[in-house]
Amino acid sequence: MSSCQVTFEIRGPSAPGEVFAICGSCSALGNWNPQLAVVLQITDDMFERRWRTTVELPRGVPVQYRYFKGYFLEPKTIDGPCEVIVHTWETHLQPRSITPLENKIIVDDGDFGICNGIETVDAGWLTCQTEIRLRLHYSEKPPVLISKKKFKTSRFRVKLTLEGLEKDDDEDKTSPTVPQKMANTVEFSLISNDDYKCRHSQPDCGYALQPDRWIEYTIQTMEPDNLELIFDFFEEDLGEKVVQDDVLPGHVGSACLLSSTIAEPGKSAGVLSLAIMSRNPRKTIGKVRVDYIIIRPIQGYTCDMQASYAKYWKPRTALDVGHRGAGNSTTTTKLAKVQENTIASLRSAASHGAAFVEFDVHLSKDHVPIVYHDLTCCMAMKKKLDTEPLELFEIAVKELTFDQLQLLKLAHVTALKVKDHNASFSDEENSAFEMQPFPSLQRVLESVPNDVGFDIEIKWISQQRDGQWDGNLSTYFDMNLFLDIILKTVLMNAGRRRIVFSSFHADICTMIRHKQNKYPVLFLTQGESKLYPELMDLRSRTTSIAINFAQFENLLGISVHSEDLLRNPSFIKRAISKGLVIFTWGDDTNDPDNRKKLREYGVHGLIYDRIDQNTVASCEDGRKTVS
């Protein structure tokens, strides 16, 4: 087959060391793998910055492609490929395309990110770098405690600095097409009920700690175990002109964190207590409580650039979403007839027109993703005599292997409240596989019709404000490992099915967003509720802060308890005005009149029970119109 010489041109600004590259559907453009993308060369003129490259493409064969901006780093090994970090990439639903026919072609694609007059770009995902998040907040208690009497009533400002880095004096002189070393970066963010600031630089004396404010520092690095981080603390009002001969006013002390203490394998999150030292004389005057998470790239899977729906939502009427399939079968007022979160329940909702089905996923002891709502279940101790009543034990699902979950007779935790424990154990020996609880996520992906979308809620332990943990589980899996297993299962088996991830745990939402580039994420929140206890995490307490968190993390949107939305419909208008998608869930959505109200208010998705017993006028429309 003959070939054509095609020159691609794009315009756009770049940071020092940052380059533009092109990635597409043929081998010459990397087969959608950014690791194999073609770097463009910069050609400055008086008016604009142009980037250009020339490649050989097969004549008459349609080729799709996208541009991205990022770093091409030095390879880990002498003969190895460059490590590629994607900062920003084009995510139009339909990529750019060309069918080359002439011997030589120049394609001027205009400005980066703009195709057919529409700008659609998204932030990159973690490809080879690690992201460390350090947080200071009042969720549980004040993060800073200074024992010195002088500062007993003080409120503090904090600034984080990255220390001990060698800077290359010739960095700016280096050609942007030569592989670079990644510069470690620190960015500051804050979230509150009223506002958020995302990845800003810090003022000289940092930002003030406040009870309603979540402060977060983000560090991206290729050396997560080789960083020195210094927290400097200042009196909030900066009233002192000079303290302890310091250059900056109001300086109280500093605390040092070596990243090697947190960047251990198998350790994704935790809380540290660091000593705050005065500078002159050098002695301990207090401590700071630092909450952290470490986000690593998915292990064993490479995300490509063929498609992204992470920020895509097609305008349509509100979608009807089957809660746990055909509905809650354990704790709601009117129980579903088919056991929840089984293949039978999911198929039932699908057959009655549900556009999406919602279900819950976590892991068995041997790391198989399974579909089940609760973190615990009941296991019966077999007695010698059948006439004796069964004795039940509550056990964490994570303590049972996948085979045990299939073979043992297990009951929902509500069985503990029932006098006749035997009645809680239905006879399942002869039940078809689709009626069995604890189906694997892979089997669900294979068994439910492909035109039905999945709202996959990722389960994780949460702590209530009174200190109690879900299922009384204060420890769980390693978060990176946990998510890698679930995400790979979906990415490798979902095909063209529409997927939305959701979670009540803010850090789970953050990690899903940064580990993969294909599927959108909704932050689940109960808002201010009379039905559920308040959660410890500040980001989970109100719908207002959930809206700001979703914008801060660049999520698709939020999924809010209907109680909060019916009481304050303005949340819906506010979320939509910020470009967010909003789903709603809860017992109130089981009432047709409430669903009608919520549709009129403008919600994008309604999650409710017994979808097979309701007239679902919009479901078929939703299934036909979702891309």
Side-chain angles (χ1 to χ4, degrees):
M1 181 183 292
S2 61
S3 61
C4 303
Q5 196 175 76
V6 182
T7 299
F8 293 95
E9 288 187 355
I10 195 79
R11 293 187 293 272
S14 62
E18 195 176 48
V19 298
F20 282 88
I22 184 171
C23 188
S25 60
C26 63
S27 58
L29 298 180
N31 288 321
W32 291 122
N33 183 353
Q35 188 86 16
L36 305 175
V38 179
V39 178
L40 279 65
Q41 310 292 321
I42 190 168
T43 57
D44 280 317
D45 60 31
M46 291 181 62
F47 305 104
E48 58 190 357
R49 259 193 158 185
R50 286 180 177 268
W51 298 76
R52 166 185 296 203
T53 192
T54 301
V55 296
E56 296 281 336
L57 297 181
R59 186 186 303 272
V61 178
V63 173
Q64 293 184 319
Y65 60 96
R66 301 180 189 276
Y67 293 102
F68 70 91
K69 185 164 57 171
Y71 289 138
F72 281 66
L73 307 179
E74 292 179 347
K76 290 182 178 179
T77 59
I78 295 175
D79 299 323
C82 290
E83 297 280 359
V84 178
I85 292 177
V86 180
H87 275 179
T88 313
W89 65 302
E90 297 182 331
T91 54
H92 300 86
L93 194 62
Q94 296 299 325
R96 299 177 189 265
S97 62
I98 183 176
T99 303
L101 297 173
E102 301 172 16
N103 290 334
K104 289 188 177 182
I105 306 170
I106 296 178
V107 181
D108 184 351
D109 277 319
D111 293 324
F112 170 68
I114 299 176
C115 185
N116 296 324
I118 299 172
E119 183 175 10
T120 309
V121 295
D122 196 9
W125 63 102
L126 296 178
T127 54
C128 55
Q129 74 275 38
T130 296
E131 186 163 297
I132 299 173
R133 302 280 191 100
L134 305 175
R135 294 86 72 89
L136 301 175
H137 53 87
Y138 283 76
S139 291
E140 188 172 352
K141 53 189 174 183
V144 175
L145 177 64
I146 303 287
S147 54
K148 199 171 181 180
K149 288 183 179 179
K150 181 177 180 179
F151 303 116
K152 277 286 187 182
T153 59
S154 297
R155 295 176 67 178
F156 301 100
R157 303 172 72 94
V158 185
K159 183 177 182 181
L160 180 69
T161 309
L162 199 56
E163 297 283 354
L165 300 178
E166 294 182 6
K167 188 169 183 179
D168 188 349
D169 293 335
D170 298 326
E171 183 178 323
D172 293 337
K173 301 175 185 178
T174 306
S175 167
T177 60
V178 175
Q180 306 287 306
K181 286 186 177 180
M182 179 183 178
N184 299 310
T185 59
V186 178
E187 294 174 313
F188 164 84
S189 306
L190 66 82
I191 319 168
S192 69
N193 261 323
D194 302 321
D195 197 10
Y196 75 98
K197 290 183 183 294
C198 187
R199 305 206 168 197
H200 282 234
S201 58
Q202 306 168 79
D204 286 342
C205 297
Y207 278 91
L209 294 171
Q210 295 178 6
D212 64 343
R213 178 181 283 180
W214 179 282
I215 289 182
E216 187 154 307
Y217 305 93
T218 300
I219 303 103
Q220 283 208 357
T221 179
M222 295 292 287
E223 300 177 305
D225 57 350
N226 195 32
L227 304 175
E228 182 182 5
L229 299 145
I230 305 295
F231 291 93
D232 282 300
F233 299 87
F234 305 85
E235 279 200 288
E236 186 182 23
D237 60 8
L238 306 180
E240 299 279 348
K241 292 183 179 179
V242 178
V243 176
Q244 301 167 351
D245 299 323
D246 209 329
V247 177
L248 295 174
H251 189 268
V252 174
S254 59
C256 177
L257 169 61
L258 298 179
S259 63
S260 57
T261 61
I262 61 175
E264 302 171 13
K267 193 173 184 180
S268 296
V271 178
L272 292 173
S273 183
L274 304 175
I276 299 175
M277 309 289 289
S278 61
R279 190 165 295 185
N280 185 20
R282 191 75 174 162
K283 63 179 181 179
T284 302
I285 58 171
K287 60 183 179 180
V288 57
R289 187 176 187 270
V290 182
D291 172 358
Y292 70 89
I293 61 169
I294 299 174
I295 315 173
R296 299 182 177 90
I298 294 181
Q299 298 299 304
Y301 185 88
T302 300
C303 294
D304 63 38
M305 288 187 151
Q306 186 171 4
S308 176
Y309 311 103
K311 291 288 291 180
Y312 173 75
W313 191 259
K314 187 174 182 177
R316 62 178 78 80
T317 56
L319 298 181
D320 294 81
V321 183
H323 182 224
R324 306 184 198 176
N328 185 336
S329 65
T330 54
T331 59
T332 194
T333 307
K334 295 181 180 179
L335 301 180
K337 295 178 182 178
V338 183
Q339 184 166 348
E340 66 184 51
N341 278 330
T342 59
I343 289 172
S345 181
L346 299 170
R347 282 178 173 173
S348 175
S351 68
H352 287 84
F356 272 66
V357 287
E358 180 271 349
F359 55 84
D360 312 273
V361 171
H362 40 122
L363 295 185
S364 63
K365 184 178 181 179
D366 51 346
H367 296 170
V368 177
I370 50 102
V371 176
Y372 191 72
H373 180 267
D374 292 76
L375 295 170
T376 61
C377 60
C378 279
M379 184 169 63
M381 180 69 72
K382 187 176 180 181
K383 296 297 185 70
K384 291 182 180 180
L385 299 176
D386 290 340
T387 56
E388 293 184 25
L390 289 176
E391 188 173 357
L392 301 186
F393 295 91
E394 186 175 3
I395 185 169
V397 172
K398 75 181 185 75
E399 299 301 332
L400 298 170
T401 67
F402 180 69
D403 286 344
Q404 288 171 334
L405 291 169
Q406 307 307 304
L407 296 172
L408 294 175
K409 280 197 170 186
L410 302 169
H412 190 266
V413 288
T414 51
L416 291 169
K417 301 175 182 179
V418 179
K419 290 183 179 180
D420 183 7
H421 290 166
N422 290 282
S424 300
F425 289 82
S426 56
D427 189 14
E428 296 170 345
E429 283 85 349
N430 299 318
S431 296
F433 83 92
E434 64 265 22
M435 301 291 291
Q436 297 288 336
F438 304 102
S440 71
L441 175 58
Q442 181 167 337
R443 190 152 199 178
V444 168
L445 284 162
E446 295 168 349
S447 302
V448 177
N450 286 326
D451 63 339
V452 179
F454 284 177
D455 177 353
I456 302 176
E457 182 188 335
I458 307 297
K459 304 295 288 189
W460 192 263
I461 55 173
S462 293
Q463 189 179 23
Q464 297 174 13
R465 200 167 183 183
D466 62 9
Q468 185 175 345
W469 289 86
D470 285 349
N472 295 315
L473 302 173
S474 58
T475 60
Y476 208 49
F477 296 95
D478 172 71
M479 195 176 283
N480 277 288
L481 173 66
F482 177 87
L483 286 175
D484 285 358
I485 292 168
I486 294 172
L487 292 176
K488 280 192 291 185
T489 300
V490 175
L491 289 163
M492 295 170 69
N493 295 283
R496 294 182 60 82
R497 187 190 302 277
R498 294 151 297 142
I499 302 288
V500 175
F501 288 108
S502 59
S503 182
F504 282 100
H505 199 284
D507 291 343
I508 291 287
C509 292
T510 296
M511 281 202 177
I512 295 173
R513 184 68 173 98
H514 289 272
K515 279 178 167 287
Q516 55 84 47
N517 64 350
K518 189 171 185 178
Y519 297 120
V521 183
L522 298 176
F523 179 38
L524 277 160
T525 180
Q526 63 193 37
E528 295 182 69
S529 173
K530 296 178 181 178
L531 299 177
Y532 298 103
E534 191 173 39
L535 296 178
M536 185 71 78
D537 192 329
L538 183 67
R539 298 166 296 178
S540 301
R541 291 184 190 167
T542 67
T543 300
S544 290
I545 202 167
I547 289 171
N548 289 333
F549 172 76
Q551 293 177 87
F552 163 71
E553 290 294 0
N554 200 22
L555 306 182
L556 178 68
I558 56 177
S559 187
V560 185
H561 189 221
S562 51
E563 174 192 6
D564 215 15
L565 297 185
L566 289 168
R567 181 174 56 239
N568 194 344
S570 64
F571 285 138
I572 300 170
K573 186 176 181 180
R574 179 182 164 193
I576 293 171
S577 72
K578 303 296 184 182
L580 298 177
V581 167
I582 183 164
F583 277 36
T584 185
W585 56 277
D587 286 347
D588 289 327
T589 60
N590 293 331
D591 183 324
D593 291 336
N594 285 333
R595 290 202 298 274
K596 183 180 178 182
K597 282 183 188 177
L598 290 162
R599 287 184 202 280
E600 291 170 352
Y601 293 151
V603 299
H604 299 91
L606 289 155
I607 304 171
Y608 60 96
D609 294 323
R610 303 183 309 283
I611 208 165
D612 55 333
Q613 298 175 34
N614 292 277
T615 302
V616 187
S618 66
C619 286
E620 288 297 336
D621 176 63
R623 286 165 71 165
K624 289 174 183 175
T625 59
V626 180
S627 296

